[in-house]
Amino acid sequence: MPQSSVVTSADAAHFLRRAGFGGSQSEISGLVGLTRLQAVDQVTNFAGSPPVVRPFTSAESWWIAHQKAHGWWIDRMATTSTPLQEKLTLFWHSHFAVGIKKVGRMDVVWDHVQMLRSGAMGSFQSLCQQSSVSPAMLVYLDNESNVVGDEQENFAREIMELHTVGVGNFSEADVVAMARAWTGYNTLRTHFSTHDIAYYYDAASHDNGPKTLMGKTQNWSGPLAIDELCFGAGRQATARRITWKLWRFLVHTNPNSATIDQIAAEFAASNLDIETLVRAVLLHDDFWAGTARHALVKGPVEFLVDVIRRFDLRVDHAGNGDNGRWLGSNDVFYLMGFTGQLLFEPPNVDGWGVGSTWLSTATMWARARALSSIRWRVNQLNLFGHPDSPSGLRNMTPAAGVQRIFDQMGIDDPSAATRSRLEQWFSTLQVNNSWAIHPNAVMVGGLCPEFQLT
Amino acid sequence: MTRHLPPQSEFREAYDRLSRPHSGSFDLSRRQFLAGSIAAGGLASVPGWIPDAASAGVPLGVDDTILVAVMLGGGADYLDTVVPFGQAAYSAYRGNMAIPGSEVTAVAEGKYLNSRLGRMADRFRAGQVAIVEGVGEATDDHSHFTAMASRLAGKSSGAPNSGWLGRWVDQTSLDALGAVAIGDRGIPLHLQGASVGATALPTVGDLYGGDRSLRWERDTIDALVALGGDTIGAGPYGDLANQTSGNALALAAQIEPLYAGATSAGLVRDMEIAADLINLDLGCRVLSVAQDGYDTHANQGPVLAGLYTELDLAIETFFSRLTPFLKPRVTVLLFTEFGRRAERNGSAGTDHGTASFMALIGNRVKGGFHGQAPSLTSLDSRRDLQHTVDYRAVYSSVVDQWLGGSSASVIGQTYPGLDLFRQAGPGGFYDVESHQFFGPAVGWLATTGITSGTAPGQFSPGEFVTREQMAVFLWNLKGKQSAPSFGFTDVPTNGWSTPAIDWLARTGITQGTSIGKFSPGQVLNRAQMATFLWRMEGEQSAPPSNFKDVPRGSFFYKAVSWLVASGVTSGWTVDTFAPDRPIDRAQMATFLWRLQGEPAV
């Protein structure tokens, strides 16, 4: 029975990379010997989730608030006891994408993401309903200006194309009908443009006429239309699309069609219960198979969180810490700006991509820039041991030193090529500039290909 | 209860939302790496200040063209760019905001440009600027976001999830350096494709890998670059990650000096970086640069004056930095998301409108006005200028006539073609036309392989001929015979022209300019040319010529006489030959052609 298979150390490392942001040696040891089912039970239990405390005030400008919220979330991802919750929140943030630059109010974007966090393992239909009337979404996809007689199709299109059934499962006529169904679900702004955006249903602006949506003619409301997409005509397509997308996020980018069909059927039968879906993915044999190992590219956020965890660093979001183990949230924000993944600011309505999306010249420059900044902190804190101690990294043999770097970075399966190159590098520096081994271990450990993968 | 509609999202937000911050998928298939690149000559074409790192780009093919898209963000006002100076309706709509005659410059009959675009006006008069008037689209809704999404996406339907230039790159075999966005706002939508991706070049350098001055840093960078050439075989992305990382660090050493070379600020700096990047010849074919600030709701006159002053300088700086070899293959496209309202608003500005302009600048554009100027006397129901050209028609022409490819698949629909680029003339040269006196001669010269031009597609008829070029022309003409080295001290032993100069000297056509010297870079004058040709053709005697500036007893007297008698020249004027005048490439082509009896092509 696969679910009763016993988790090995390599299994645990893989599992913790995907169901979170990578495991420490003790976290890995903690799972070894459990069954897969027990391991999955453990990571899907969010009971111990630390409290969420908003790190900014409404008085702060949105860009300062954005920096703080960004730092707070990175820090939470790195330190939480329930990393799967954050990983899924990141997934839903990309799926029900909203961005601060268009919305202009960090508090409503924050509330949107917090809603996604609370519902990350709940009902998909409920998440979709809540997202659709979230003030951030109403602004981001312009439904706040969707009124009868002057319909705005932006949200109507995206809720079908991106949030639920996907391309090929709706017609242009459905977009028109959906836009009409969503008329009147607007916002109330008590001050001009930037203040206090609230959801407001303006009955007078709603189109109460009959509309034909997915073949059914009735007086569709917005929520009824979502029910149709989740539980009615759209159920199978939605289930399959979400399953496929989550698989590509958690497992690998080339899913087996039969596997997706099988899990999607379970998901559909559960009335789109996300916990059912997540458990089915994590318990699937394909998830544990060799083909899934190191088969994904870490996104920039996963990359940074992993680096931070590997060295026990923290991100300060109160605005007063940039020393010792604490990185300033403004610095982290600056560095992440180059990588292509700023939290609360997805690139477009389709969120962030996966896989090769994250492999470009510019993103590698950005990763190197981030590591180059962090290496001096690592050096200062002697995180590779004191340079004068016999156990300090630079005093080891090249073989032992490189293994030490792999262990520190959580690289459990390095290629022979990488090992050999790094040993050559280690020897070279040992001869000429042995002091430089400590800071630059961060560069070679963080830029080697193994560390880009998850 | 009044509903508060959202304010228009302003330009910057719209652009930011349409930009993907510094990422992109990446196709390594064509990227040559390390030794492979060096062997293929990847380093041969980059300037000498490039440090000793590997080249990570693939140089352009000789027919490859380059487009630099400059976005005038915010909605540039057409009427204050191509100013309808003198039209009553313009003065009526703009009142005291109307640009006065002292601030416009005439470029064509009844056509005026904002005088802040003075250098561009000069280029226009030289036939190097095509201005398309009345550019817009049927569905303009006055929203920056909608209009920009549309202008950047460049397709007629569907969500704006890719851009027209990105889709064009998808059809090529370019790698991630094929499309480069310069600026700190990532990869704008128009460069985003489905598969290949683009590179965002930050405006500030300090790239890791760029500073190789310290040994320990260099040792670490070298280790990572070398690792990038290995195969690690982990998962579907392991090797791609490895190569990408190695490439990026190697490339940083090439890119970093661009930042030191860019000495200006703002748009001028971005255009300096763009030009220098093109000169590196790393395979960049599409570049994106943006200038913000055209959303002139208030104080339009001074704001636009500042912007156009900067733009004018930036374009001039850009072209002046390009290497002559690549310059003719570069076209700059100016575009904006929409034009502005005909009627001024209450704060000396203009609000969002519809129709505007696009401009193409470069050696090969078909200079002049295209499209149709929107009428000021027949505004649409919203009192906006009515567009006469769909913006996608401009893009279609750029794809079909400039970049090369299929506009139907890039734009998703065909649009009535605009004729925005010149056709190649005789010999495949864009700067030679068949009706010019030297047209047939140049055509013949190219067909016989005597010239291949000064750059791909460029003959440079007005450039003076150097002695070295003349040697090569004559050597080519006579069949490239090999000759023993002559040993001029100012001719390199293995220069491109050395075999020709050796042949010229060995056959007695030249004795050099002084003992042991050929002066290869010296411009040839008409007297020297006459002498070369005369000696080459066997120093035949001829009836004496009668030019007052060709004295009997001068070293070129017999040569000039023979040249006249054989019908190659009839002199500069009736009684002068102008022996000291330098000879340009057009005249030289004509002389050689006549010498051969005006062969037809």
Side-chain angles (χ1 to χ4, degrees):
Chain A
M1 290 294 289
Q3 294 197 354
S4 60
S5 297
V6 174
V7 172
T8 67
S9 177
D11 289 342
H14 167 67
F15 180 68
L16 289 172
R17 280 194 291 267
R18 302 306 177 77
F21 300 92
S24 65
Q25 203 49 54
S26 69
E27 287 163 337
I28 291 170
S29 311
L31 291 184
V32 172
L34 299 185
T35 64
R36 290 178 185 176
L37 185 61
Q38 286 169 323
V40 170
D41 283 344
Q42 209 173 84
V43 301
T44 53
N45 179 359
F46 295 171
S49 170
V52 171
V53 182
R54 199 175 79 167
F56 59 90
T57 69
S58 300
E60 284 169 306
S61 61
W62 68 259
W63 54 92
I64 296 294
H66 184 199
Q67 285 186 15
K68 290 186 175 180
H70 183 272
W72 176 91
W73 196 2
I74 296 281
D75 192 58
R76 181 178 173 91
M77 289 176 183
T79 56
T80 179
S81 55
T82 53
L84 179 59
Q85 184 181 32
E86 300 310 314
K87 192 92 177 237
L88 291 174
T89 307
L90 182 60
F91 174 75
W92 294 124
H93 178 29
S94 182
H95 186 77
F96 294 111
V98 297
I100 178 64
K101 281 182 184 163
K102 175 154 185 192
V103 176
R105 281 290 294 197
M106 192 57 223
D107 48 5
V108 296
V109 174
W110 173 271
D111 290 346
H112 180 86
V113 172
Q114 178 52 27
M115 175 271 293
L116 298 173
R117 181 177 287 113
S118 307
M121 282 262 268
S123 152
F124 178 81
Q125 175 264 0
S126 164
L127 207 57
C128 199
Q129 293 283 12
Q130 291 179 72
S131 161
S132 301
V133 293
S134 140
M137 184 63 79
L138 291 165
V139 177
Y140 189 65
L141 291 182
D142 303 313
N143 206 62
E144 64 172 343
S145 58
N146 183 19
V147 296
V148 62
D150 189 10
E151 289 81 11
Q152 221 299 348
E153 294 179 354
N154 199 3
F155 175 73
R157 180 180 302 279
E158 303 308 8
I159 194 169
M160 292 190 283
E161 181 176 331
L162 299 177
H163 298 169
T164 59
V165 292
V167 172
N169 294 298
F170 62 92
S171 65
E172 285 302 303
D174 287 331
V175 174
V176 174
M178 183 64 79
R180 291 177 59 208
W182 278 97
T183 46
Y185 298 83
N186 305 140
T187 56
L188 194 61
R189 292 173 185 253
T190 50
H191 294 81
F192 178 69
S193 86
T194 57
H195 291 75
D196 300 333
I197 308 167
Y199 162 56
Y200 171 63
Y201 176 68
D202 182 359
S205 295
H206 180 68
D207 182 339
N208 281 303
K211 314 149 190 100
T212 304
L213 182 68
M214 306 190 105
K216 264 187 231 174
T217 305
Q218 63 182 70
N219 176 13
W220 290 101
S221 69
L224 270 180
I226 285 189
D227 285 350
E228 189 67 15
L229 291 170
C230 292
F231 295 156
R235 180 193 293 252
Q236 303 304 330
T238 297
R240 197 175 195 291
R241 187 156 177 285
I242 303 301
T243 302
W244 176 83
K245 199 168 167 183
L246 186 69
W247 187 276
R248 283 170 51 88
F249 181 73
L250 287 181
V251 192
H252 56 67
T253 53
N254 189 22
N256 178 306
S257 187
T259 302
I260 299 301
D261 288 342
Q262 176 214 325
I263 297 175
E266 252 182 88
F267 183 39
S270 73
N271 279 338
L272 306 187
D273 173 49
I274 301 167
E275 184 164 3
T276 301
L277 169 65
V278 170
R279 290 177 62 92
V281 168
L282 295 180
L283 284 168
H284 201 280
D285 279 354
D286 289 0
F287 174 86
W288 297 87
T291 47
R293 307 282 164 112
H294 312 299
L296 282 174
V297 180
K298 276 174 199 153
V301 165
E302 294 169 88
F303 173 86
L304 181 72
V305 170
D306 206 3
V307 171
I308 287 172
R309 283 173 56 78
R310 291 293 149 200
F311 294 103
D312 258 334
L313 301 174
R314 297 290 305 269
V315 181
D316 174 69
H317 40 82
N320 52 13
D322 183 16
N323 52 64
R325 290 187 181 272
W326 292 87
L327 308 174
S329 59
N330 52 343
D331 294 334
V332 167
F333 188 85
Y334 171 77
L335 293 172
M336 290 302 283
F338 296 101
T339 67
Q341 194 172 32
L342 272 179
L343 297 168
F344 308 105
E345 183 55 22
N348 57 48
V349 293
D350 201 11
W352 294 285
V354 294
S356 60
T357 300
W358 298 123
L359 297 178
S360 71
T361 309
T363 57
M364 292 312 305
W365 281 336
R367 287 175 192 219
R369 192 189 286 260
L371 291 169
S372 171
S373 161
I374 286 169
R375 63 178 159 166
W376 302 113
R377 194 68 60 92
V378 171
N379 191 50
Q380 181 196 351
L381 297 172
N382 291 326
L383 299 182
F384 278 109
H386 194 284
D388 294 337
S389 143
S391 62
L393 181 63
R394 69 167 179 171
N395 302 315
M396 297 178 159
T397 63
V402 168
Q403 185 56 50
R404 165 89 170 76
I405 296 169
F406 286 146
D407 291 344
Q408 184 85 36
M409 303 307 291
I411 296 169
D412 57 348
D413 196 9
S415 69
T418 303
R419 186 184 293 280
S420 149
R421 289 284 180 198
L422 263 51
E423 286 179 6
Q424 285 169 35
W425 162 81
F426 196 99
S427 313
T428 306
L429 257 62
Q430 223 167 13
V431 172
N432 297 307
N433 294 94
S434 72
W435 68 269
I437 289 178
H438 286 235
N440 289 300
V442 181
M443 300 309 301
V444 297
L447 284 178
C448 75
E450 284 81 356
F451 193 73
Q452 316 314 312
L453 306 177
T454 173
Chain B
M1 176 88 50
T2 43
R3 251 173 0 94
H4 290 264
L5 288 175
Q8 293 279 8
S9 62
E10 292 300 304
F11 153 71
R12 180 173 282 281
E13 282 78 0
Y15 186 65
D16 283 345
R17 242 196 88 193
L18 291 165
S19 295
R20 183 174 62 197
H22 301 275
S23 71
S25 56
F26 183 40
D27 176 9
L28 274 158
S29 59
R30 251 193 86 204
R31 172 151 297 179
Q32 290 157 303
F33 197 71
L34 290 170
S37 169
I38 293 162
L43 285 180
S45 53
V46 302
W49 44 258
I50 293 298
D52 56 344
S55 166
V58 182
L60 295 181
V62 291
D63 294 326
D64 289 343
T65 50
I66 297 166
L67 183 75
V68 181
V70 180
M71 185 168 69
L72 314 181
D77 183 36
Y78 160 73
L79 294 176
D80 278 2
T81 306
V82 183
V83 186
F85 177 70
Q87 288 187 29
Y90 174 65
S91 311
Y93 283 131
R94 293 292 167 91
N96 63 1
M97 247 185 77
I99 296 189
S102 58
E103 290 173 27
V104 298
T105 177
V107 290
E109 180 71 36
K111 288 288 196 182
Y112 305 88
L113 289 189
N114 187 314
S115 65
R116 305 292 175 151
L117 297 171
R119 298 178 184 93
M120 191 146 96
D122 290 342
R123 280 187 186 276
F124 186 97
R125 294 184 196 104
Q128 295 176 359
V129 180
I131 296 176
V132 190
E133 298 178 281
V135 178
E137 66 178 315
T139 55
D140 266 332
D141 70 353
H142 291 170
S143 147
H144 285 290
F145 185 79
T146 315
M148 193 172 304
S150 173
R151 291 298 185 282
L152 299 180
K155 58 181 181 180
S156 35
S157 62
N161 51 15
S162 69
W164 69 287
L165 292 169
R167 292 192 300 276
W168 174 78
V169 172
D170 283 343
Q171 296 187 340
T172 69
S173 55
L174 293 169
D175 64 22
L177 278 175
V180 176
I182 292 160
D184 291 323
R185 281 187 270 156
I187 298 166
L189 178 66
H190 54 315
L191 296 196
Q192 294 174 24
S195 59
V196 180
T199 295
L201 205 60
T203 53
V204 179
D206 200 17
L207 304 172
Y208 179 77
D211 180 359
R212 301 173 50 81
S213 59
L214 298 166
R215 175 158 188 178
W216 56 269
E217 190 88 288
R218 198 165 63 234
D219 284 342
T220 306
I221 294 163
D222 284 346
L224 287 162
V225 170
L227 177 56
D230 292 335
T231 300
I232 68 153
Y237 300 113
D239 288 323
L240 186 60
N242 198 22
Q243 290 160 356
T244 309
S245 166
N247 265 330
L249 301 193
L251 187 61
Q254 289 186 304
I255 297 291
E256 189 67 29
L258 294 182
Y259 297 105
T263 54
S264 302
L267 181 71
V268 182
R269 174 186 169 87
D270 290 354
M271 291 298 273
E272 286 174 341
I273 293 174
D276 292 351
L277 182 64
I278 289 169
N279 289 343
L280 281 180
D281 197 13
L282 298 170
C284 303
R285 292 202 55 196
V286 174
L287 293 93
S288 163
V289 176
Q291 185 193 25
D292 298 356
Y294 287 89
D295 197 16
T296 47
H297 288 284
N299 231 6
Q300 174 165 308
V303 173
L304 203 58
L307 290 167
Y308 275 161
T309 301
E310 183 184 39
L311 177 66
D312 202 43
L313 177 61
I315 291 169
E316 197 63 22
T317 304
F318 172 75
F319 278 108
S320 69
R321 282 172 94 98
L322 288 175
T323 63
F325 184 72
L326 290 166
K327 192 191 304 204
R329 291 193 272 157
V330 177
T331 293
V332 169
L333 167 68
L334 306 182
F335 73 104
T336 187
E337 67 261 46
F338 47 54
R340 307 194 74 82
R341 206 64 64 83
E343 189 161 16
R344 59 165 288 175
N345 65 20
S347 40
T350 53
D351 295 323
H352 301 177
T354 52
S356 194
F357 69 98
M358 288 193 185
L360 293 143
I361 308 162
N363 283 37
R364 292 192 199 161
V365 305
K366 191 167 273 183
F369 286 96
H370 300 259
Q372 194 191 330
S375 164
L376 268 170
T377 52
S378 68
L379 303 181
D380 71 10
S381 59
R382 297 176 302 181
R383 303 183 61 71
D384 275 324
L385 298 170
Q386 302 201 49
H387 80 277
T388 57
V389 176
D390 190 294
Y391 75 92
R392 286 160 293 211
V394 180
Y395 292 174
S396 298
S397 296
V398 170
V399 170
D400 292 334
Q401 299 162 23
W402 183 245
L403 291 173
S406 157
S407 68
S409 59
V410 168
I411 311 296
Q413 199 174 325
T414 52
Y415 287 85
L418 292 161
D419 196 12
L420 298 177
F421 295 91
R422 288 190 288 109
Q423 305 288 317
F429 297 117
Y430 289 86
D431 51 1
V432 178
E433 292 177 32
S434 51
H435 61 80
Q436 288 168 308
F437 75 87
F438 51 88
V442 173
W444 165 76
L445 220 60
T447 312
T448 51
I450 296 168
T451 182
S452 55
T454 52
Q458 178 172 274
F459 179 71
S460 305
E463 264 180 33
F464 295 135
V465 180
T466 61
R467 292 172 53 86
E468 159 179 60
Q469 286 171 344
M470 192 66 200
V472 173
F473 288 137
L474 298 180
W475 183 60
N476 285 344
L477 181 68
K478 293 296 179 185
K480 297 190 183 186
Q481 300 166 47
S482 61
S485 171
F486 192 82
F488 284 121
T489 56
D490 56 357
V491 175
T493 47
N494 53 359
W496 69 282
S497 59
T498 306
I501 294 170
D502 286 339
W503 169 81
L504 209 68
R506 291 287 176 189
T507 51
I509 297 172
T510 182
Q511 281 111 37
T513 49
S514 60
I515 293 172
K517 289 207 190 309
F518 178 70
S519 305
Q522 200 179 85
V523 170
L524 194 74
N525 63 32
R526 291 166 58 90
Q528 290 167 331
M529 196 231 27
T531 312
F532 277 9
L533 296 182
W534 178 62
R535 290 182 185 149
M536 184 176 77
E537 296 301 314
E539 303 189 10
Q540 300 165 49
S541 56
S545 61
N546 197 18
F547 294 117
K548 57 187 181 189
D549 53 2
V550 181
R552 284 167 193 266
S554 62
F555 76 89
F556 49 89
Y557 175 73
K558 285 182 177 173
V560 172
S561 299
W562 166 78
L563 214 60
V564 171
S566 53
V568 173
T569 178
S570 50
W572 185 252
T573 61
V574 176
D575 57 355
T576 62
F577 178 71
D580 295 331
R581 280 191 86 91
I583 182 160
D584 67 30
R585 293 168 55 87
Q587 294 165 5
M588 184 279 306
T590 313
F591 284 0
L592 293 184
W593 180 59
R594 287 186 189 150
L595 187 66
Q596 297 304 114
E598 306 193 3
V601 178

